[in-house]
Amino acid sequence: MKTIKPSKERQTAVDRETRAAVEDIIEKVIEQGDQALRFYSEKFDGSTRESFLVSQEEIDLAYEKITAEELSDIKEAAKNIKAFAEAQRETIGELKDFAPMEGVTLGHKIIPVDSALCYVPGGNYPLYSTALMLVIPAKVAGVKRVCAASPTEKGSGEIDDRTLVAMSVAGADEIYALGGAQAIGAFAYGTESIKPVDMIVGPGNQFVAEAKRQCYGQVGIDFVAGPSEVMVLADGTGDAKTVAADLLAQSEHAPNAKGILITLDEDFGQAVAKAVDEELKTLDTADIARISWESQGEILLAESWEEAIDYANGYAPEHLEINVKSDVLAEELASRLKNYGSLFMGENAAEVFGDYSSGTNHTLPTARAARYTGGLFVGTFLKTCTYQKMTEDGAIKLSSLTERLAQGEGLAAHALAAKKRRKK
């Protein structure tokens, strides 16, 4: 694999200072409850609000502040996200009355978790699309108590109006003006004003990600998300400026976001590099995107599709685009790709459509986690719980086998419990 545009080494491990800082925050939240939340809210966000729970009056006011077009756009995107989540839910079914042998009936039930926190980051931009991506699948799954939380805008004590409206449109049952590691700790362990939840989902900065990691076990999580990534596989038949725009769409997220192009055409790779440089001259977010592209951006030349696919499967990117004009080729390549958060097939399937409005979810695994997990979806909030029932004859038939297996492991009480069914 030849390098056309190299990148610097990417730091993905959590440093000791971050781990220690997050651990201290969580311990303070457990020990001091709301007092700690108020301290950290003022320290990090300049928020002095007394109640973290957002009132209906605040939500109504947010609806009044945003434009009619903004509200319409949020609702239209929500409609597509909900439709896809509902379609996914229909594919996840119960298993009833499976009999491996006469007298033994097995099955499983699909049960939603009781409560979940959907964490919507603030940071450099108000990511109100994330509110839709998290809350809607939770509601479609049937979660009874769906909480949403987001940091307040610096010094205001209020969540961004569009984020607040998106949370409301998506159907959040409770909305909290609270962010950072302290929010994760609060919903994991509970405070005087916040009842803990069973699951916490959503992206965030390194402190939020580390807090989710440290609270895992106390609560369930989706996964620990890192800096955003996009990989584009291109044969050179597409438009270089369009591919450059796709790479910059990830680069503008953060200085450590990753944009990678793997192409079979060296001239195309050079053209994309030139197009990125040109776009950065006028891009509004160039201050962040330039740092990201210069340090993390990468353009590689593959000798064959086999080499490109092997590299992609080993890298397991968050977003993976197949930028080719041929639908047949796009389908053939897709059949050979197996490690990715979400796949975008053909030059028309822009990654940004998945970020906002097409209906698939943009909460996806990063840092090679796509090797073992997919992205957040309605099934994230569902448990597959098995059950069994037996006739007396079925229990008798299984008892000897079970007794022997238990004795082989040295577990006498297990063997006895099986034997009692036979003696009955």
Side-chain angles (χ1 to χ4, degrees), residues 139-181:
K139 296 296 290 186
V140 171
V143 180
K144 292 180 180 178
R145 176 181 171 236
V146 179
C147 303
S150 187
T152 61
E153 295 182 289
K154 295 291 183 183
S156 71
E158 298 177 354
I159 297 174
D160 174 84
D161 293 324
R162 290 160 297 183
T163 299
L164 192 52
V165 169
M167 290 172 169
S168 173
V169 168
D173 300 300
E174 301 168 18
I175 299 175
Y176 292 84
L178 184 65

Side-chain angles (χ1 to χ4, degrees), residues 59-81 128-129 132 136 160-171 356-357:
I59 297 172
D60 293 341
L61 184 59
Y63 273 93
E64 295 176 9
K65 288 182 178 179
I66 68 171
T67 67
E69 183 178 50
E70 286 174 327
L71 179 57
S72 176
D73 289 344
I74 289 171
K75 287 184 175 180
E76 186 171 355
K79 181 179 71 173
N80 290 344
I81 296 165
Y128 53 96
S129 59
L132 304 177
I136 290 173
D160 174 84
D161 293 324
R162 290 160 297 183
T163 299
L164 192 52
V165 169
M167 290 172 169
S168 173
V169 168
Y356 290 105
S357 57

Side-chain angles (χ1 to χ4, degrees), residues 45-49 51 54 58 151-159 177:
D45 298 323
S47 172
T48 57
R49 60 184 295 148
S51 174
V54 176
E58 290 177 90
T152 61
E153 295 182 289
K154 295 291 183 183
S156 71
E158 298 177 354
I159 297 174

Side-chain angles (χ1 to χ4, degrees), residues 187-353:
F187 281 91
Y189 291 94
T191 70
E192 300 92 322
S193 65
I194 295 176
K195 183 181 177 182
V197 295
D198 299 316
M199 171 169 277
I200 296 177
V201 301
N205 62 20
Q206 70 269 31
F207 296 98
V208 170
E210 178 59 19
K212 286 174 65 179
R213 191 197 314 272
Q214 291 189 20
C215 290
Y216 176 63
Q218 176 68 22
V219 290
I221 64 171
D222 45 358
F223 40 76
V224 178
S228 191
E229 309 160 340
V230 66
M231 178 181 287
V232 181
L233 305 182
D235 60 0
T237 61
D239 178 63
K241 292 182 178 179
T242 299
V243 172
D246 288 354
L247 294 171
L248 287 172
Q250 292 305 303
S251 299
E252 71 179 353
H253 269 295
N256 57 354
K258 186 84 174 179
I260 309 171
L261 167 64
I262 301 178
T263 181
L264 274 61
D265 184 325
E266 185 167 3
D267 290 339
F268 183 76
Q270 297 287 0
V272 171
K274 182 178 178 181
V276 169
D277 291 338
E278 286 298 313
E279 191 65 45
L280 282 171
K281 293 178 181 178
T282 57
L283 189 67
D284 289 343
T285 54
D287 55 337
I288 294 177
R290 180 177 287 106
I291 295 172
S292 172
W293 176 249
E294 290 179 353
S295 66
Q296 299 300 324
E298 219 172 336
I299 300 178
L300 304 174
L301 178 65
E303 293 184 359
S304 64
W305 279 123
E306 182 178 6
E307 184 179 35
I309 289 169
D310 285 346
Y311 188 91
N313 282 332
Y315 196 94
E318 177 187 16
H319 308 93
L320 181 56
E321 291 188 358
I322 303 174
N323 189 281
V324 297
K325 287 188 181 295
S326 168
D327 290 340
V328 174
L329 177 58
E331 291 282 356
E332 194 274 327
L333 295 176
S335 69
R336 297 159 63 187
L337 292 162
K338 59 183 181 180
N339 294 335
Y340 51 82
S342 190
L343 184 64
F344 303 82
M345 299 166 57
E347 62 177 352
N348 295 319
E351 182 275 323
V352 293
F353 294 154

Side-chain angles (χ1 to χ4, degrees), residues 67-112:
T67 67
E69 183 178 50
E70 286 174 327
L71 179 57
S72 176
D73 289 344
I74 289 171
K75 287 184 175 180
E76 186 171 355
K79 181 179 71 173
N80 290 344
I81 296 165
K82 184 178 181 181
F84 187 62
E86 289 175 338
Q88 287 183 305
R89 179 64 183 88
E90 290 177 3
T91 70
I92 306 172
E94 295 189 352
L95 175 62
K96 296 181 179 180
D97 300 333
F98 172 75
M101 58 182 289
E102 188 177 351
V104 177
T105 302
L106 313 178
H108 72 232
K109 296 180 179 293
I110 305 298
I111 305 171

Side-chain angles (χ1 to χ4, degrees), residues 325-390:
K325 287 188 181 295
S326 168
D327 290 340
V328 174
L329 177 58
E331 291 282 356
E332 194 274 327
L333 295 176
S335 69
R336 297 159 63 187
L337 292 162
K338 59 183 181 180
N339 294 335
Y340 51 82
S342 190
L343 184 64
F344 303 82
M345 299 166 57
E347 62 177 352
N348 295 319
E351 182 275 323
V352 293
F353 294 154
D355 272 351
Y356 290 105
S357 57
S358 63
T360 60
N361 209 288
H362 75 203
T363 309
L364 303 169
T366 63
R368 301 187 70 227
R371 291 173 298 129
Y372 54 82
T373 186
L376 182 141
F377 78 122
V378 65
T380 301
F381 304 94
L382 298 173
K383 303 177 293 181
T384 302
C385 302
T386 61
Y387 66 85
Q388 58 187 274
K389 53 186 178 180
M390 298 182 192

Side-chain angles (χ1 to χ4, degrees), residues 36-48:
L37 297 184
R38 292 191 178 93
F39 171 79
Y40 289 120
S41 292
E42 184 170 4
K43 178 180 179 180
F44 297 131
D45 298 323
S47 172
T48 57

